[in-house]
């Protein structure tokens, strides 16, 4: 019987760890205000992040290589602390004969500086960067050039705060031992920019999501060192957030909750949307100050109150009452990951944008307010996930100590 005790303790420890890893604390209104919006970087003509992606980028083409290089240069120059790698494959397609078409997925990660491989659980943010072969010259601005640019912005918006947070933890002496005891967890961010999502001909299981099928199989077969927290690369993914078809403003996007298993994460997004709207941080809102003053005339400006429009709600499904979940019915890059047990949050509007798979899905048809709002929302979600409260201030110094709330949180864990 004696030998059972360590086992029980170990089991308790694992249980504790599992409970803690579900922990998600919301950030304050002040921190929400500090989340930077993409501005001139999203200009469709010469914006640094978005404009280089707004070109045809069919797998294996020159445009595809140029866009991939754009991502690589961005991480290399602007975010040198991110680790960038590729996962490559080739496949024949129904319209390219015997030729093997190359598919290149880009994986960018940022881990706590002291973390060992196999110990980091990821918030994985995903979009595809390839564009559809037809119609000729198709740009795919919402599909998914804009989501790729959003993720670049998110990575850059959080980078400084991650550095500060990890430095503060390091100074407070909270790192390896706490993790070894299972009292804290290593949380990292992973960004997947995937190739070959689009069908070359008609969408079938075979002719679609070439990049994600290859990557999911590869991650499943990539083992971490023995006794790691996560035994292979795919099990390191805590939540796979897939962005697709975002950036159209009218009609107002409607975002269903697709998966019962991740409805909790959907609810966190929905709550953030509400809070951002309440603070006038959603520029696409008809009640945003920029929209309201535009329609109120009068050279001296009257104090006349305009009637408030009904505030739109993208995440309308927060109190989902029925038990019908559409997850998996919309085929997209998440399928090979879902089939391997990964939790999915699918951010794809239903109905799809009106420009979907049409020539008009180009830069000119993006709504910059909507796109900026999506970017702020996803960045806020990631900031909450990574517990960046107190670190978002650009002016904060690296020496900033952990605040009392953060200390108390860690201490209470240690005492458990
Ligand atoms: C994958 O493809 C990219 C782009 O062509 C190349 O730079 C990289 O070296 C390749 N990686 C591997 C592991 O083959
Ligand atoms: Zn598409």
């Amino acid at each position: 019987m004696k030998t059972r005790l360590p086992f029980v303790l170990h089991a308790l420890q694992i249980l504790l760890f599992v409970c803690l890893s579900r922990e998600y604390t919301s950030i304050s209104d002040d921190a929400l205000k500090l989340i930077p919006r993409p501005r001139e970087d999203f200009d469709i003509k010469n914006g640094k992040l978005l404009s280089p992606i707004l070109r045809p980028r069919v797998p294996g083409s020159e445009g595809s290589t140029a866009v991939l290089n754009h991502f690589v240069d961005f991480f290399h120059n602007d975010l040198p602390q991110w680790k960038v790698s590729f996962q490559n494959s080739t496949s024949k397609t129904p319209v390219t004969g015997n030729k093997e078409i190359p598919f290149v997925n880009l994986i960018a990660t940022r881990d706590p500086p002291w973390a060992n491989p196999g110990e980091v659980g990821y918030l994985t943010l995903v979009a595809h960067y390839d564009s559809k072969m037809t119609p000729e010259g198709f740009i795919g601005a919402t599909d998914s050039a804009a989501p790729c640019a959003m993720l670049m912005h998110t990575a850059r918006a959080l980078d400084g705060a991650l550095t500060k947070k990890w430095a503060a933890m390091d100074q407070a002496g909270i790192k390896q031992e706490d993790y070894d005891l299972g009292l804290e967890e290593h949380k990292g961010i992973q960004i997947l920019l995937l190739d070959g999502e689009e069908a070359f001909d008609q969408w079938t299981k075979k002719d679609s999501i070439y990049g994600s099928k290859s990557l999911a199989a590869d991650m499943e077969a990539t083992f971490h060192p023995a006794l790691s927290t996560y035994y292979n690369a795919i099990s390191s993914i805590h939540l796979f957030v897939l962005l697709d078809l975002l950036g159209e403003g009218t009609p107002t996007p409607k975002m269903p909750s697709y998966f019962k298993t991740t409805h909790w994460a959907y609810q966190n997004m929905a709550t953030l949307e509400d809070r951002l709207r309440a603070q006038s941080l959603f520029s696409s809102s008809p009640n945003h100050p920029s929209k309201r003053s535009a329609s109120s005339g009068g050279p001296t400006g009257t104090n006349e109150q305009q009637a408030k429009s009904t505030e739109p709600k993208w995440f309308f499904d927060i109190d989902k009452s029925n038990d019908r979940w559409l997850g998996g019915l919309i085929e997209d890059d998440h399928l090979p990951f879902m089939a391997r047990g990964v939790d999915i949050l699918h951010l794809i509007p239903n109905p799809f944008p009106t420009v979907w798979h049409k020539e008009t899905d180009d830069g000119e048809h993006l709504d910059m307010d909507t796109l900026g709002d999506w970017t702020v929302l996803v960045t806020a979600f990631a900031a909450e996930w990574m517990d960046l409260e107190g670190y978002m201030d650009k002016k904060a110094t690296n020496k900033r100590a952990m605040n009392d709330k953060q200390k108390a949180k860690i201490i209470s864990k240690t005492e458990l």
Side-chain angles (χ1 to χ4, degrees):
M1 288 311 283
K2 226 176 166 187
T3 53
R4 283 272 169 220
L5 190 59
F7 170 76
V8 169
L9 282 177
H10 187 62
L12 277 174
Q13 204 176 76
I14 289 170
L15 186 68
L16 181 66
F17 178 80
V18 170
C19 295
L20 289 175
S21 38
R22 281 284 172 213
E23 187 173 346
Y24 179 102
T25 35
S26 56
I27 60 174
S28 65
D29 287 353
D30 287 341
L32 279 185
K33 288 198 189 96
L34 291 169
I35 291 176
R37 278 187 84 82
R39 295 187 192 278
E40 56 277 11
D41 276 352
F42 274 28
D43 188 281
I44 60 168
K45 289 277 179 272
N46 45 35
K48 179 179 160 176
L49 298 190
L50 179 58
S51 69
I53 317 174
L54 293 173
R55 58 181 290 171
R57 45 196 189 284
V58 174
S61 70
E62 187 199 332
S64 167
T65 305
V67 169
L68 187 66
N69 286 338
H70 165 57
F71 298 144
V72 173
D73 291 345
F74 170 75
F75 281 103
H76 188 83
N77 296 327
D78 289 32
L79 301 174
Q81 304 205 68
W82 289 64
K83 191 172 139 253
V84 173
S85 62
F86 304 103
Q87 189 274 332
N88 302 347
S89 60
T90 65
S91 176
K92 294 188 174 65
T93 85
V95 299
T96 47
N98 266 334
K99 200 171 162 210
E100 290 285 333
I101 303 294
F103 300 98
V104 185
N105 297 311
L106 181 145
I107 302 144
T109 50
R110 184 139 194 226
D111 296 351
W114 54 79
N116 297 318
E119 303 298 332
V120 183
Y122 290 111
L123 172 64
T124 300
L125 305 172
V126 190
H128 76 86
Y129 75 87
D130 63 301
S131 67
K132 206 167 166 292
M133 220 170 181
T134 55
E136 170 115 38
F138 180 71
I139 298 291
T142 67
D143 186 11
S144 269
C148 290
M150 284 172 56
L151 295 184
M152 295 168 90
H153 175 92
T154 296
R156 195 180 52 187
L158 300 181
D159 191 56
L162 289 169
T163 303
K164 280 174 211 151
K165 178 192 156 133
W166 287 329
M169 288 175 77
D170 202 359
Q171 278 183 349
I174 300 158
K175 43 179 196 179
Q176 196 61 54
E177 307 89 77
D178 304 281
Y179 291 107
D180 289 346
L181 285 168
L183 293 168
E184 251 292 354
E185 55 171 326
H186 292 305
K187 279 200 272 194
I189 298 201
Q190 181 174 62
I191 289 179
L192 307 179
L193 300 173
L194 302 180
D195 199 3
E197 187 265 353
E198 301 286 6
F200 281 69
D201 186 20
Q202 295 283 318
W203 185 285
T204 63
K205 295 244 182 294
K206 253 192 117 179
D207 185 20
S208 63
I209 59 171
Y210 294 90
S212 93
K213 280 187 284 203
S214 173
L215 179 62
D218 215 70
M219 286 177 110
E220 188 179 30
T222 303
F223 291 96
H224 293 313
L227 307 182
S228 295
T229 308
Y230 304 100
Y231 80 102
N232 62 5
I234 205 163
S235 68
S236 300
I237 300 175
H238 271 210
L239 184 67
F240 184 101
V241 183
L242 176 59
L243 286 65
D244 204 356
L245 306 183
L246 302 178
E248 187 173 68
T250 317
T252 298
K254 291 202 97 38
M255 189 57 72
S257 180
Y258 292 101
F259 291 95
K260 193 172 188 168
T261 46
T262 56
H263 189 58
W264 61 274
Y266 177 96
Q267 287 175 314
N268 289 332
M269 280 277 186
T271 304
L272 278 169
E273 182 195 353
D274 282 348
R275 291 178 59 207
L276 288 164
R277 287 184 184 280
Q279 288 193 67
S280 299
L281 295 171
F282 247 46
S283 350
S284 65
S285 162
N287 298 311
H288 189 265
S290 65
K291 304 281 188 313
R292 287 165 66 80
S293 57
S295 56
S296 75
T300 54
T302 59
N303 285 333
E304 200 182 310
Q305 278 290 324
Q306 277 176 271
K308 267 204 154 193
S309 307
T310 309
E311 187 64 34
K313 215 174 171 51
W314 295 349
F315 288 72
F316 62 92
D317 236 358
I318 185 166
D319 299 315
K320 192 171 171 68
S321 52
N322 65 46
D323 206 26
R324 293 199 316 273
W325 303 86
L326 302 174
L329 293 181
I330 295 181
E331 300 192 4
D332 206 343
D333 280 329
H334 60 301
L335 291 182
F337 290 84
M338 185 177 129
R340 290 168 172 85
V342 175
D343 269 347
I344 312 290
L345 181 64
H346 199 183
L347 299 184
I348 189 169
N350 190 15
F352 289 174
T354 57
V355 295
W356 179 64
H357 285 188
K358 293 185 187 157
E359 272 168 44
T360 43
D361 189 5
D362 56 14
E364 281 75 16
H365 287 81
L366 289 171
D367 179 64
M368 283 303 144
D369 287 334
T370 301
L371 191 52
D373 293 345
W374 275 119
T375 310
V376 170
L377 179 58
V378 170
T379 304
F381 179 83
E384 286 198 338
W385 187 285
M386 296 304 293
D387 283 324
L388 294 180
E389 178 72 37
Y391 303 106
M392 291 301 293
D393 186 353
K394 274 199 189 123
K395 281 164 274 168
T397 69
N398 285 357
K399 277 187 242 138
R400 174 193 286 247
M402 305 189 91
N403 68 34
D404 290 344
K405 198 175 143 211
Q406 287 156 339
K407 270 187 195 145
K409 200 167 126 192
I410 303 276
I411 288 163
S412 72
K413 285 178 186 175
T414 314
E415 284 171 352
L416 280 172

